[in-house]
Amino acid sequence: MSPSNLWREIPQRYRLEAAFCPKCLTTYFPPRELCTECGSRELEKKKLPTRGKLVTYTVIHTPPKGFELYAPYIVGLIKLEDGTHLTAQITDADPDKLDLDVDVEAVIRKVKENGRDGPIYYGYKFRPILNANGAPERKC
Amino acid sequence: MRKVAVIGVGMIKVDHHWKESIRSLFTKAAINALEDAGNPDIDALYVGNMSAGQFNKQENLAPMLADALGLESKPSLRVEEGCSSGSAALYMALKDVASGMHDFVLVGGVEKMMDTATNDATFIISTVTDQEYEAFTGLSLAGINAMVMRLYMNKFGVKRESFAKFVVQMHENASKNPYAQFPFKISLDKALNSAPVAEPIHLMDCAPIGDGAAALVICPAEKAKDFTSDQVDIIGAWKASDTFLFHMRKDFLSMKATIEASRNAYEMANITPEDVDVAEVHDSFSIAGILAIEDLGFARKGEGWIAVEEGLISPDGETPVNPSGGLKARGHPIGATGIYQAAEIVLQLRGDAGKRQVPDARIGITHNTSGFGTSAIVHVFKAE
């Protein structure tokens, strides 16, 4: 990965910017150039909500190259409050206490390093929203 | 379109082939197929390969392998479609012969994976997923399958034991296959209790990495009689795709590409799932095997694991699945896998599958996917 490839994804990685089709009301994350639902080519920029719930998740023990230092870590499929789905690491969570449907919120975290001299990658991760007892919220 | 037949198959045992290069591995499989076919003059070569560039730092593969076979003056092409590169090569070769452009075509697949370390291989395999929005998060291909498995277990009330039973069946099948990487049986306990890879997926839920090559010779059906009395025709083929990002799917518990590819291939072949006598399906992970059983129409959604438990997919069951041992135990040398599947089905339909022969097989299918169902290719074969 290169600095230019890091740089061009910043709106998505730091601000959760998506594309929105005003004609058929579909949201795309990451953004697209055309709406694959209705064919419209006039999509707008949309900022995604930062809260949602965990649809499913995995705990990665055998990581791809570049993630060895972080294993085991959790990656989840998240459904945001507006119905948009995305894939993200789940941070600040105990895998044994995690469950489907827990409420999560976005945070900015370091994702990985790129060798000794390369840029450090940052981006969204999600963490469980805890209730007053320190347990993950689950308001279905 | 002309009807197309397979007149020769060749396979190399999937293994750690420390002494073989990608070139020698492929050439040996191709020679086996040519000899099985009775050495016809070859008009064109297709090679399925996912990533020689990353695994072996070797691109420009087709002319290299054509040269090794003395086919350097013939048209040769490499076909890449991730984990389904082998079937993609067959799909293109089939259209080549069906169109009338070439008569005798050699189509093979090869992947030489064992020269790389496991974390490198895991990364290379993860390049079939979206680099910026899946792999970037540290998600592996096993991880996507694991997220689906957790959801499946939760929705249908299935335990890991049921997936382990599929793994035990694959090993039992592979124990009779001389081409299998793992030709031995394992206990349910061993299938269940291995190191976690991407929970709930453990090591024994995963297809291994390995070196392998396989090849077929295909030709117009009307010319096949001159070369073989055990002609097998390819009577249906389709390729379908789905959203590239897994999180964009409308249904997380099916592979739409498999449903679409099989529906169209069955229609072309004028068959229904009930007509299939033997199937080689893409069980890169145990959950992928269960989903394939459902999405190909052999069991209802959420009941693929029941088909396994009730023996419906065992070699003497209603629809034997993966008599070779599947990706799980025969092995999954990625770009070669689709050709191994086709070679297995041809042997089964010819009645040449030895100890692993399933009874009365007339119609067989192969199912080869890429990524988590980003694409699927189904071929239908019939004994003449």
Side-chain angles (χ1 to χ4, degrees):
Chain A
M1 287 208 188
S2 62
S4 57
N5 127 310
L6 176 156
W7 169 80
R8 71 173 166 262
E9 303 299 331
I10 280 177
Q12 290 78 258
R13 298 257 169 81
Y14 294 5
R15 300 192 292 276
L16 287 176
E17 282 186 15
F20 176 71
C21 177
K23 285 191 181 146
C24 74
L25 311 182
T26 307
T27 301
Y28 294 98
F29 185 81
R32 291 182 172 224
E33 284 66 41
L34 61 86
C35 178
T36 48
E37 288 292 325
C38 76
S40 170
R41 292 170 189 181
E42 279 142 38
L43 302 192
E44 295 173 355
K45 201 183 282 181
K46 170 184 169 180
K47 198 175 168 314
L48 293 176
T50 57
R51 290 186 167 213
K53 57 175 61 214
L54 189 60
V55 177
T56 181
Y57 65 96
T58 176
V59 185
I60 305 270
H61 292 265
T62 305
K65 194 174 181 152
F67 289 90
E68 294 89 341
L69 285 174
Y70 312 103
Y73 54 89
I74 307 164
V75 183
L77 177 70
I78 291 145
K79 184 177 189 179
L80 297 173
E81 283 171 345
D82 70 342
T84 308
H85 288 91
L86 55 73
T87 308
Q89 266 192 40
I90 308 300
T91 188
D92 303 358
D94 178 349
D96 295 332
K97 290 185 186 155
L98 208 56
D99 206 350
L100 305 189
D101 291 330
V102 300
D103 293 329
V104 292
E105 63 185 356
V107 287
I108 291 268
R109 290 294 162 87
K110 178 177 148 185
V111 176
K112 64 171 178 173
E113 295 176 11
N114 192 16
R116 262 188 62 185
D117 304 320
I120 296 173
Y121 290 79
Y122 294 88
Y124 53 83
K125 292 186 182 180
F126 282 72
R127 68 179 172 202
I129 300 171
L130 304 180
N131 65 21
N133 303 321
E137 282 272 24
R138 232 179 126 180
K139 35 172 181 201
C140 301
Chain B
M1 281 205 307
R2 299 194 291 184
K3 199 187 238 190
V4 177
V6 182
I7 57 168
V9 303
M11 290 186 267
I12 302 293
K13 179 187 190 301
V14 184
D15 216 330
H16 298 188
H17 285 289
W18 306 119
K19 289 183 175 174
E20 304 289 349
S21 67
I22 188 168
R23 186 178 347 221
S24 64
L25 201 60
F26 182 83
T27 308
K28 287 180 177 178
I31 289 170
N32 288 348
L34 289 167
E35 290 190 347
D36 187 47
N39 294 303
D41 288 334
I42 294 298
D43 301 314
L45 169 69
Y46 286 81
V47 182
N49 172 263
M50 174 191 152
S51 202
Q54 294 189 84
F55 285 119
N56 319 105
K57 303 284 179 285
Q58 179 68 61
E59 302 288 14
N60 207 7
L61 207 57
M64 181 178 101
L65 299 176
D67 171 51
L69 286 159
L71 297 172
E72 71 279 3
S73 64
K74 307 290 182 185
S76 61
L77 280 173
R78 168 187 172 182
V79 184
E80 190 275 317
E81 183 73 6
C83 326
S84 59
S85 296
S87 283
L90 177 57
Y91 195 65
M92 299 309 289
L94 172 68
K95 292 199 269 193
D96 189 341
V97 177
S99 74
M101 189 152 176
H102 294 111
D103 281 345
F104 291 90
V105 172
L106 180 64
V107 49
V110 63
E111 208 77 57
K112 173 83 183 141
M113 306 171 77
M114 300 307 294
D115 290 355
T116 49
T118 302
N119 62 340
D120 282 315
T122 305
F123 171 77
I124 294 168
I125 294 165
S126 81
T127 62
V128 302
T129 67
D130 188 292
Q131 284 303 288
E132 301 294 2
Y133 291 90
E134 287 174 338
F136 180 80
T137 68
L139 187 62
S140 56
L141 190 54
I144 300 180
N145 280 271
M147 293 200 298
V148 176
M149 183 167 161
R150 188 183 297 276
L151 206 54
Y152 188 100
M153 289 164 68
N154 190 270
K155 173 149 186 190
F156 300 118
V158 186
K159 293 197 163 66
R160 280 191 53 237
E161 279 87 334
S162 299
F163 295 90
K165 284 175 185 166
F166 177 82
V167 172
V168 169
Q169 179 74 60
M170 291 304 106
H171 271 272
E172 192 176 321
N173 295 359
S175 71
K176 296 170 185 160
N177 183 358
Y179 303 106
Q181 184 170 3
F182 298 143
F184 49 80
K185 296 179 190 177
I186 63 165
S187 65
L188 186 63
D189 184 57
K190 185 165 182 203
L192 256 178
N193 299 307
S194 54
V197 169
E199 288 177 73
I201 284 179
H202 288 233
L203 187 62
M204 293 308 286
D205 291 298
C206 308
I209 59 174
D211 298 334
L216 313 171
V217 179
I218 64 173
C219 74
E222 81 244 15
K223 299 195 177 185
K225 295 274 181 290
D226 302 339
F227 291 88
T228 179
S229 53
D230 289 321
Q231 173 186 343
V232 171
D233 294 338
I234 305 177
I235 59 168
W238 204 264
K239 194 227 149 179
S241 305
D242 202 348
T243 64
F244 196 63
L245 278 160
F246 174 67
H247 72 237
M248 294 300 290
R249 304 275 165 88
K250 290 192 168 76
D251 177 2
F252 297 124
L253 292 172
S254 297
M255 288 195 197
K256 196 177 102 190
T258 297
I259 294 170
E260 287 295 309
S262 58
R263 188 174 58 77
N264 284 289
Y266 294 160
E267 193 179 306
M268 186 187 276
N270 199 19
I271 63 163
T272 65
E274 291 75 41
D275 297 323
V276 176
D277 299 317
V278 56
E280 283 282 313
V281 311
H282 195 98
D283 59 320
S284 44
F285 299 91
S286 54
I287 175 69
I290 301 290
L291 293 183
I293 290 166
E294 298 169 2
D295 295 339
L296 290 166
F298 305 146
R300 278 190 296 208
K301 184 47 61 185
E303 296 182 359
W305 62 281
I306 299 173
V308 175
E309 296 204 347
E310 292 183 347
L312 299 177
I313 64 135
S314 59
D316 54 359
E318 208 168 296
T319 310
V321 167
N322 294 353
S324 69
L327 281 61
K328 169 63 225 169
R330 187 268 324 289
H332 182 29
I334 305 179
T337 291
I339 304 295
Y340 275 96
Q341 293 178 321
E344 176 68 19
I345 291 299
V346 171
L347 290 180
Q348 291 286 348
L349 299 185
R350 291 199 323 208
D352 286 344
K355 286 184 189 159
R356 65 189 190 285
Q357 181 68 49
V358 306
D360 306 321
R362 295 267 304 147
I363 291 175
I365 69 158
T366 60
H367 162 255
N368 198 191
T369 67
S370 188
F372 182 83
T374 47
S375 66
I377 303 176
V378 171
H379 285 93
V380 184
F381 300 81
K382 187 180 179 200
E384 259 313 300

